[in-house]
C-alpha cells in the first residue's frame, strides 16, 4: 500500500485534469438551409468533431430536422431535468430514502435515444434510469411515486430508484454492469423471433471494465446480435475519473472486432442522429455496434455524493455554463427562428407545472399494504400454492 501511495501523485500529475477525446459543445450545429416554411424539414450540419469511428464509417454530418420535433425534444429535456430536480428536493427533505442516482446534465442521451428508435425497440440500463423509464412509456408520477415507495409507483413502490420497468424498458438495474449481458439476451430474442428491431444496452464508464461486459460483447459478435452497447461516459465512475480507472478511455474502441462510434452526448441533434445510425447498422444484419456518448453529470454519483471531492466546482460550473444540452438546443431554436425566448419560457413553465402536479399526486398515493409483500415474486400464474416467510409458522397461501 505504501508503494501505491507513492505512485499516486505521479499518476495525478500525468493525467490531464479534464481530458476529452471529442468536442462536447452543445451548440455548434450550423443551419444549412434558409428556413422559409418552419413546418417543413430543413438541413443542419453537425460539427465535424461530433463523431469518431472505429472499424465503421462515420455518420453523415448533414441532418434533417423539423420545428415540431426540436420543440418536443426541448420540452422533454426540460421535463426530465425538472423531474430529477424534484427527486433531488424530495431526497433532501428525507421523503426519498436509499439509493438515488440522478441524470441532471445527461438529458441529451435519454431524450436523443428515444427520438432515434421505435416503440418496438428495447432499452436496458443501469441505475441512472429515471428519464429512460418516462421516455419509454412510463409516467413522471409513476417514477416519483416509486422513489417515494408508494403504490402508484411503476413497480408498486417496491422497487425504488433502481428498479423501474415498462414493456419496452427492462430497467433500472442495481448491479454494476449486470444489465449488459441481459441486453445481449434481449437482442438474441429479437433475432430468434425474426424481428427487425434493436436493443440498446447502456452502461457507464465505471462499469466498462467488468468481465461480464466483455463476455456479452463476445457472444453478441459471435452470433451477430442486433445489439447496440452504449457507454454513457460522464467521465467519472463514482468518484474515480475515467483516466484513473481505465487504461483505454476510448470506450468505443474496446469491442475488439465490434465496430464503434464515439458521439458528442451534449448535443441532442448529434445524439439522435447517432442513435438512428446505430439502429440502422444493427437491424440491417451487420452485427452489434459499440457506441460511446461523451456526456457529463452535474451532480454527484448518487445523492450521498456531493460530487466536489474529486473534481472542482469550477469544472462543474464551466460545463453548466458553456456545454449544457438544454441551453444548446434553446440557442438553436431561437437563432433559427423556430420559437422566441418567451415561447420557450412557456414550455419551461409547462414542464415545471407537469412535474409539480405529478409530485403532489405521488405524495397522495398510499404506501404498499402488508399483503403486497407476497405479490410480484413469481410471474402471474406461476406462483406455488404457498410461500414461507421469515419464520417457519409464517406462511402465505395463494
Amino acid at each position: 500500500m505504501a508503494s501505491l501511495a507513492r505512485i499516486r501523485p505521479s499518476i495525478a500529475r500525468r493525467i490531464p485534469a479534464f481530458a476529452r477525446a471529442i468536442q462536447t459543445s452543445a451548440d455548434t450545429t450550423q443551419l444549412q438551409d434558409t428556413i422559409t416554411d418552419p413546418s417543413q424539414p430543413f438541413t443542419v450540419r453537425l460539427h465535424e468533431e461530433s463523431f469518431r469511428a472505429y472499424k465503421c464509417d462515420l455518420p453523415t454530418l448533414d441532418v434533417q430536422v423539423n420545428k415540431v420535433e426540436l420543440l418536443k425534444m426541448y420540452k422533454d429535456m426540460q421535463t426530465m431535468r425538472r423531474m430529477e430536480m424534484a427527486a433531488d428536493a424530495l431526497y433532501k427533505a428525507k421523503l426519498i430514502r436509499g439509493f438515488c442516482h440522478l441524470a441532471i446534465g445527461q438529458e441529451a442521451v435519454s431524450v436523443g435515444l428515444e427520438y432515434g428508435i421505435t416503440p418496438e425497440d428495447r432499452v436496458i440500463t443501469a441505475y441512472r434510469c429515471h428519464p429512460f423509464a418516462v421516455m419509454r412509456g412510463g409516467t413522471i408520477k409513476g417514477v416519483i411515486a416509486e422513489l417515494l415507495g408508494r403504490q402508484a409507483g411503476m413497480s408498486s413502490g417496491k422497487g425504488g430508484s433502481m428498479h423501474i420497468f415498462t414493456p419496452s424498458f427492462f430497467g433500472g438495474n442495481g448491479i454494476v454492469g449486470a444489465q449488459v449481458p441481459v441486453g445481449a439476451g434481449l437482442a438474441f430474442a429479437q433475432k430468434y423471433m425474426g424481428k427487425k428491431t434493436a436493443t440498446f444496452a447502456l452502461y457507464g464508464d465505471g462499469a466498462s471494465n467488468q468481465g461480464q461486459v466483455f463476455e456479452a460483447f463476445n457472444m453478441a459478435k459471435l452470433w451477430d446480435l442486433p445489439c447496440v452497447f452504449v457507454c454513457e461516459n460522464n467521465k467519472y465512475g463514482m468518484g474515480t475519473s475515467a483516466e484513473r480507472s481505465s487504461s483505454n478511455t476510448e470506450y468505443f474502441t474496446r469491442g475488439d472486432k465490434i465496430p464503434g462510434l464515439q458521439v458528442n452526448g451534449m448535443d441532442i441533434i448529434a445524439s439522435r442522429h447517432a442513435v438512428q445510425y446505430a439502429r440502422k447498422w444493427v437491424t440491417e444484419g451487420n452485427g452489434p455496434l459499440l457506441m460511446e456518448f461523451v456526456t457529463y453529470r452535474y451532480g454527484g454519483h448518487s445523492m450521498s455524493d456531493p460530487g466536489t471531492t474529486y473534481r472542482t466546482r469550477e469544472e462543474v460550473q464551466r460545463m453548466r455554463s458553456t456545454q449544457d444540452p438544454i441551453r444548446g438546443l434553446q440557442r438553436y431554436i431561437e437563432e433559427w427562428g423556430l420559437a422566441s425566448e418567451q415561447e420557450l419560457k412557456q414550455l419551461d413553465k409547462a414542464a415545471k407545472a407537469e412535474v409539480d402536479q405529478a409530485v403532489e399526486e405521488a405524495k397522495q398515493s398510499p404506501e404498499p399494504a402488508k399483503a403486497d409483500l407476497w405479490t410480484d415474486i413469481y410471474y402471474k400464474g406461476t406462483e406455488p400454492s404457498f410461500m414461507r416467510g421469515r419464520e417457519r409458522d409464517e406462511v402465505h397461501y395463494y
Side-chain angles (χ1 to χ4, degrees):
M1 292 300 291
S3 61
L4 179 60
R6 283 196 297 271
I7 68 170
R8 277 176 179 158
S10 63
I11 292 175
R13 284 193 298 269
R14 183 159 44 85
I15 296 171
F18 196 60
R20 287 281 178 178
I22 196 172
Q23 74 90 23
T24 53
S25 297
D27 58 358
T28 54
T29 298
Q30 299 295 317
L31 181 65
Q32 294 297 103
D33 294 340
T34 300
I35 302 176
T36 56
D37 183 357
S39 66
Q40 297 300 312
F42 54 91
T43 302
V44 297
R45 172 160 289 185
L46 297 167
H47 190 281
E48 61 182 6
E49 296 179 355
S50 295
F51 310 116
R52 293 175 66 204
Y54 171 74
K55 295 187 176 181
C56 65
D57 294 331
L58 286 168
T60 60
L61 295 178
D62 289 342
V63 183
Q64 287 269 305
V65 295
N66 63 74
K67 174 182 176 179
V68 172
E69 186 176 57
L70 291 176
L71 289 176
K72 280 184 176 180
M73 290 195 294
Y74 177 84
K75 169 75 181 310
D76 284 340
M77 282 204 292
Q78 278 285 15
T79 304
M80 293 305 95
R81 181 167 295 184
R82 286 285 182 182
M83 177 183 70
E84 295 288 65
M85 290 169 61
D88 178 276
L90 291 167
Y91 197 99
K92 290 173 179 174
K94 298 184 178 181
L95 294 174
I96 296 174
R97 302 295 186 117
F99 294 104
C100 186
H101 306 80
L102 306 181
I104 299 173
Q106 299 182 208
E107 295 85 1
V109 176
S110 55
V111 178
L113 176 71
E114 184 60 31
Y115 277 80
I117 61 178
T118 72
E120 291 74 31
D121 293 319
R122 299 291 181 255
V123 177
I124 186 169
T125 189
Y127 33 74
R128 208 176 303 280
C129 65
H130 310 154
F132 295 101
V134 176
M135 298 305 298
R136 285 271 83 191
T139 64
I140 299 168
K141 175 185 174 181
V143 168
I144 296 296
E146 189 60 40
L147 299 180
L148 293 169
R150 307 300 175 91
Q151 288 184 20
M154 289 174 63
S155 295
S156 304
K158 298 188 289 184
S161 172
M162 299 188 287
H163 305 102
I164 306 175
F165 312 90
T166 75
S168 63
F169 176 63
F170 289 73
N173 293 269
I175 305 301
V176 176
Q179 74 280 2
V180 179
V182 178
L186 292 171
F188 176 81
Q190 289 171 318
K191 183 169 184 175
Y192 183 82
M193 297 173 71
K195 295 183 176 180
K196 201 174 178 64
T197 53
T199 291
F200 287 76
L202 294 95
Y203 60 99
D205 53 285
S208 64
N209 298 314
Q210 287 274 320
Q212 58 192 332
V213 172
F214 291 96
E215 291 178 40
F217 289 173
N218 181 62
M219 296 306 291
K221 182 58 180 175
L222 192 65
W223 293 335
D224 276 341
L225 302 180
C227 188
V228 182
F229 296 104
V230 183
C231 178
E232 281 189 275
N233 178 11
N234 60 24
K235 304 304 291 180
Y236 297 95
M238 296 187 71
T240 304
S241 68
E243 291 79 13
R244 293 191 64 178
S245 64
S246 299
S247 60
N248 177 9
T249 58
E250 294 184 326
Y251 298 105
F252 70 109
T253 69
R254 295 176 67 173
D256 191 12
K257 293 188 176 183
I258 300 177
L261 183 68
Q262 189 180 51
V263 183
N264 174 6
M266 301 304 275
D267 186 326
I268 191 166
I269 297 178
S271 295
R272 187 208 63 166
H273 188 49
V275 169
Q276 291 172 331
Y277 173 94
R279 184 185 186 279
K280 186 173 184 289
W281 176 278
V282 301
T283 56
E284 289 185 348
N286 296 310
L289 184 75
L290 181 51
M291 185 160 63
E292 174 192 352
F293 283 114
V294 183
T295 183
Y296 197 82
R297 58 170 164 81
Y298 296 156
H301 171 73
S302 68
M303 287 300 297
S304 61
D305 169 25
T308 54
T309 57
Y310 47 87
R311 58 184 183 176
T312 64
R313 295 181 186 275
E314 289 74 22
E315 176 188 308
V316 178
Q317 185 55 40
R318 182 170 66 252
M319 291 296 296
R320 277 183 176 273
S321 60
T322 64
Q323 300 182 38
D324 183 76
I326 299 178
R327 297 284 78 79
L329 182 54
Q330 176 185 355
R331 179 179 169 183
Y332 294 154
I333 292 171
E334 292 179 3
E335 287 189 354
W336 300 341
L338 304 178
S340 66
E341 181 180 357
Q342 283 303 117
E343 289 172 322
L344 292 181
K345 283 184 178 179
Q346 290 302 313
L347 292 180
D348 298 346
K349 290 181 180 178
K352 182 178 184 302
E354 182 180 355
V355 172
D356 288 346
Q357 180 180 349
V359 169
E360 292 308 311
E361 291 178 359
K363 286 180 178 178
Q364 299 306 313
S365 177
E367 295 181 353
K370 288 183 179 180
D372 292 336
L373 289 171
W374 303 100
T375 62
D376 301 320
I377 301 172
Y378 289 85
Y379 184 77
K380 289 182 179 179
T382 67
E383 303 93 341
S385 58
F386 67 92
M387 178 70 63
R388 268 182 52 181
R390 297 165 299 173
E391 300 175 1
R392 187 180 297 274
D393 58 350
E394 186 179 14
V395 179
H396 176 81
Y397 292 91
Y398 288 96

